[in-house]
Each structure stands twice: as structure tokens, then as C-alpha cells.
Amino acid sequence: MRRVVVTGLGCVSPLACSVEKTWKALINGKSGIRLIDTFDTTDLPSKIAGLVPWKKEDGSSPDDETFDPSTVVPAKDQHKMDRFILYGLAAAIESVRDAGWEAPSDEEKGRTGVVIGSGVGGLETIYNTSVTLYDGGARRVSPFFIPSCLVNLAAGHVSIRYGFTGPNYATATACSAGAHAIGEAFHLIRHNLADVMVAGGAEGAVCRLAVAGFSAARALSTHFNDRPTEASRPWDKDRDGFIIGEGAGALVLEEYEHARRRGAKIYAEIVGYGLSGDAYHMTAPPPDGAGAYRAMKTALMSAGMNPQDVDYINAHGTSTPIGDQAELSSVQRLFGAQTRAWMSSTKSSIGHLLGGSGAIEAVFAVKTLCTHIVPPTLNLHVPPPDAAIDLVPRVAKERKITVVMSNSFGFGGTNASLIFKAAHDA
């Protein structure tokens, strides 16, 4: 089977709107969690989120970290796309530019594809349109409503923009969607169904409907509304739920010899992908994390590696009482009490991007390999008493990193695990 490498990275996050600026903020312990100011939260139990900072409507910008949709599509076309599409397109554009891939011939375009996942797609557009229909009737519904909210339209817009005519689809596996998209793209290249894939995940679901729904399910943090930057606290004893976030991550994956022939820079090699189902509960994992254990074990088997080969695990780590403990249990069962691996949750800094989380965390996994800096788990003051693994509390740490695992788990018991290794081994 063919080898697959990473040649491009892109992201939009609550910290910044590029990979380098996001990474700098992440390893410096910055938080992108803040009070929601884009809609009324008076009657909502949770009032905070990981919001992408947008350029102000008057054209001003408080800093150069903000998202400017006009750099993605012209103003006249922005109303045709839900925010998750704008974020996914922006991350893909950065990754393709970073990879320097133009697919100059029709044959090369046909060997280049796109897989971008999303957990809920255009939920805000669906919510707003339903209100419009109720208040104003059917004549007020936009003709762009359906294509602006379909889950596969992030991938569709990327393919249209570049003329990539290879495999084109979306994964919709809740909070594992971004990781599954990368894993699927990896398989497509490995089995010679494509040479280059733009893969990732995107979400823009921070709206009244989403916050009300997740709050009703008692999934969101409610105890830190007055201290937003302290709210996302994976594994800490005071954690009380996840912080909903938005944004996107994208990787350009490429067949190894194809990348070498064109002189592309190679960030890392993707070597393993595992997936599993819990078959347990709609929203909760089994207490022992058995499904997560099987996904990680399968990823290691796919990579031809053992647990002791892994230096760092970018955890799913959402900051929920049940989920964090289940993941910790599964990791320690697989890796053993004396594991040399470190594990941290970058959701402590940006919140939970739902279907975009696995993709942006894969970007962070690759950056960890390239920089040998392990991002911290913010707000971790009192870890679980049975934690034998280093959870990198509060401050980034440095060590030589050659293999990284990235985990993503979603509602419905859907699990994904990805393994990347350093480029110097490619």
C-alpha cells in the first residue's frame, strides 16, 4: 500500500484565523473562550463559547487575528453559505496554498479530491430560516437555503473553487467527523483512488438552537459563565461540561512519491487510522472507554506500531465528567501505567468544535511533531487521582516527538483515532 504524507495545513479557530497564529496562541496558553455576544443568551444556562473573532461590520478590525469573510468569497456570495462552509473553505484555501498544489492538468485534477466533515452542518441557517418561515411565510425563504446548509457543501465549494474532480464527499459522524474525514482521505490515497486529498472538518453551530439543545442535554458548562477562560478544564475535578466552539481545520494529504517528485515540503506522515463503535448509549461512552480503546488499538495496528512508540496523544478531552474519565481509563489500559507518552486536550483553549474538532486537532498534532512542543491542558489544577499519565497541566512542555496520536469520539458512540509520525522518518 502507498504511503501518505501531510503537505499542507490550514485552520480557522477561536484563537486566530491561520495555523501559525493559532499555534502561537495555543502554546502560549491563550484561551479563545468568551461570553457570547452574537445572540441573546438571557434564558440560556450556558452563555460562553469558543467564537471565531470576526472583522467588524464597519470594516475595522481590533487586530490581525480576525476572520474576514471577504477574503474567502465576495460579499455578494456570503449569504449563500452558512458559517461552517465559510470556515471550511477558508481553512482549505490556507492548506492548499501552503501545499503549493495547483493540479495543473485535468488528469491531476481528477486525482485530487476533497473530504470535509461536519457534525451538524448549517444549523444556524436552518434555525434562522425556520423563524423566517414562521414569521413571514414561504415566500420569504431564500432560494439559497438548502445549498447553504447541506453538510457536503463545504467539500463541494472547495472542489468547485479549484476544479478538483476526484472523490468529493462529507463525513457526518458527530464530533468524530473531522477525524473520520482525514482517515477516509488517507485510505483513498493509500489504496490508489487519489493522489492528493484536501481533508478536514468545519463547524459554525454556535447559535441559540445549539446552545439551548446541548444545555437541555446537560452537556455544556454552566458554572463558569462569569469566568469564560476557566470554563474548559479537561480532567480537572471542577469540570462541568464542554464549551461549544466553532471553526475549521484542513490538511492536504498526498501520496509520498507524488509529493517528492514535485518537491513539496512534508510536515509529517499519516500512518494509522482506527475507528470503532461503542454500541452503548446515544451520548455517553461506556465507563471503561472500551470503544475508544478499540479505535486506538486499531490505529496502532494499522500503523504497525506498539503503544510504547507513541510520544504524545492529543486527546478528545471535552471537559465532561463522564467522557474525560472514560478516555483516561481507555488510554491507561492500552498504554499501561508506566507509559512514556504525554496527553493533553487542546479543547481547554478553543472549546469543542464538534465536527471540526478532529481536524483542527490533527493540525495541532502535526505542529507538535514539527516543533517538539506539546500544547497544555489549560485549567487543570486537580487531576483525577488515578491519572498515571502526564496530562501537561496549564503550561506547554518540550520534548522530542516522533509519533503522535489524535483521538475523536462522538455522540452515537462513533470513535476515530489517527496516528502521525515525524517527516524525517518519511
Side-chain angles (χ1 to χ4, degrees):
M1 287 182 288
R2 308 191 315 163
R3 297 170 67 184
V4 184
V5 294
V6 180
T7 57
L9 301 172
C11 82
V12 174
S13 84
L15 290 171
C17 297
S18 70
V19 170
E20 290 308 317
K21 291 175 182 177
T22 293
W23 178 251
K24 181 179 179 181
L26 182 74
I27 62 174
N28 284 330
K30 304 294 185 182
S31 172
I33 313 300
R34 59 185 174 90
L35 281 170
I36 296 170
D37 58 3
T38 52
F39 54 84
D40 182 21
T41 63
T42 303
D43 59 341
L44 297 174
S46 183
K47 305 176 188 299
I48 55 181
L51 295 167
V52 170
W54 276 58
K55 188 174 183 179
K56 294 182 178 179
E57 290 185 3
D58 62 6
S60 65
S61 178
D63 53 48
D64 61 356
E65 312 293 314
T66 53
F67 180 71
D68 182 356
S70 66
T71 63
V72 182
V73 294
K76 66 181 178 66
D77 293 326
Q78 290 169 24
H79 70 287
K80 302 175 184 177
M81 304 177 188
D82 186 89
R83 279 182 299 134
F84 91 96
I85 297 176
L86 288 171
Y87 295 152
L89 188 51
I93 289 170
E94 183 183 12
S95 71
V96 172
R97 183 185 300 124
D98 186 37
W101 176 239
E102 298 179 354
S105 69
D106 288 343
E107 181 181 359
E108 289 168 314
K109 285 181 169 61
R111 297 285 297 175
T112 304
V114 187
V115 184
I116 297 177
S118 184
V120 293
L123 186 63
E124 183 180 43
T125 295
I126 294 170
Y127 170 67
N128 289 338
T129 303
S130 67
V131 172
T132 297
L133 176 63
Y134 182 84
D135 291 341
R139 291 178 179 270
R140 297 288 305 279
V141 173
S142 168
F144 302 110
F145 163 55
I146 297 298
S148 70
C149 64
L150 291 176
V151 169
N152 72 302
L153 260 292
H157 277 286
V158 173
S159 69
I160 292 167
R161 185 183 189 95
Y162 293 104
F164 296 155
T165 56
N168 182 280
Y169 61 103
T171 51
T173 48
C175 303
S176 299
H180 278 136
I182 294 167
E184 292 299 304
F186 165 59
H187 276 177
L188 287 169
I189 297 173
R190 204 178 205 191
H191 295 285
N192 201 23
L193 296 174
D195 293 325
V196 182
M197 293 292 299
V198 182
E203 209 77 84
V206 183
C207 64
R208 274 183 59 79
L209 181 59
V211 174
F214 281 118
S215 293
R218 298 185 179 181
L220 298 183
S221 171
T222 60
H223 295 167
F224 295 89
N225 287 326
D226 59 339
R227 294 170 286 160
T229 61
E230 298 177 31
S232 187
R233 45 198 317 115
W235 299 297
D236 187 78
K237 77 174 182 64
D238 292 330
R239 68 191 185 277
D240 71 320
F242 78 82
I243 312 302
I244 190 171
E246 62 179 4
L251 283 68
V252 174
L253 304 184
E254 191 166 348
E255 192 273 324
Y256 173 60
E257 294 297 341
H258 186 279
R260 286 194 61 188
R261 281 196 300 272
R262 69 182 189 87
K265 66 178 176 294
I266 296 175
Y267 285 108
E269 182 174 4
I270 179 169
V271 293
Y273 171 43
L275 58 169
S276 70
D278 289 343
Y280 178 76
H281 189 272
M282 288 190 300
T283 58
D288 63 355
Y293 175 88
R294 288 192 299 275
M296 291 185 287
K297 188 173 183 179
T298 302
L300 286 167
M301 184 170 55
S302 169
M305 291 181 173
N306 297 308
Q308 59 265 31
D309 296 320
V310 177
D311 302 300
Y312 168 62
I313 304 161
N314 188 294
H316 185 58
T318 61
S319 190
T320 60
I322 295 174
D324 286 4
Q325 186 59 45
E327 183 173 14
L328 180 63
S329 297
S330 67
V331 167
Q332 294 190 158
R333 175 187 168 197
L334 179 62
F335 285 80
Q338 304 303 316
T339 180
R340 54 183 292 277
W342 294 349
M343 180 167 71
S344 69
S345 173
T346 46
K347 289 183 178 72
S348 62
S349 181
I350 62 174
H352 189 0
L353 275 56
L354 308 180
S357 61
I360 200 166
E361 288 158 15
V363 171
F364 296 157
V366 171
K367 288 296 292 181
T368 300
L369 279 170
C370 295
T371 64
H372 304 286
I373 300 174
V374 176
T377 303
L378 299 187
N379 304 310
L380 177 54
H381 296 279
V382 183
D386 62 335
I389 191 170
D390 188 335
L391 299 173
V392 198
R394 303 188 302 284
V395 179
K397 298 171 70 171
E398 295 187 42
R399 70 179 290 185
K400 184 176 182 180
I401 303 290
T402 58
V403 177
V404 172
M405 173 182 283
S406 184
N407 289 333
S408 292
F409 314 129
F411 280 3
T414 178
N415 308 301
S417 185
L418 300 166
I419 297 179
F420 300 88
K421 75 173 185 177
H424 62 73
D425 292 328

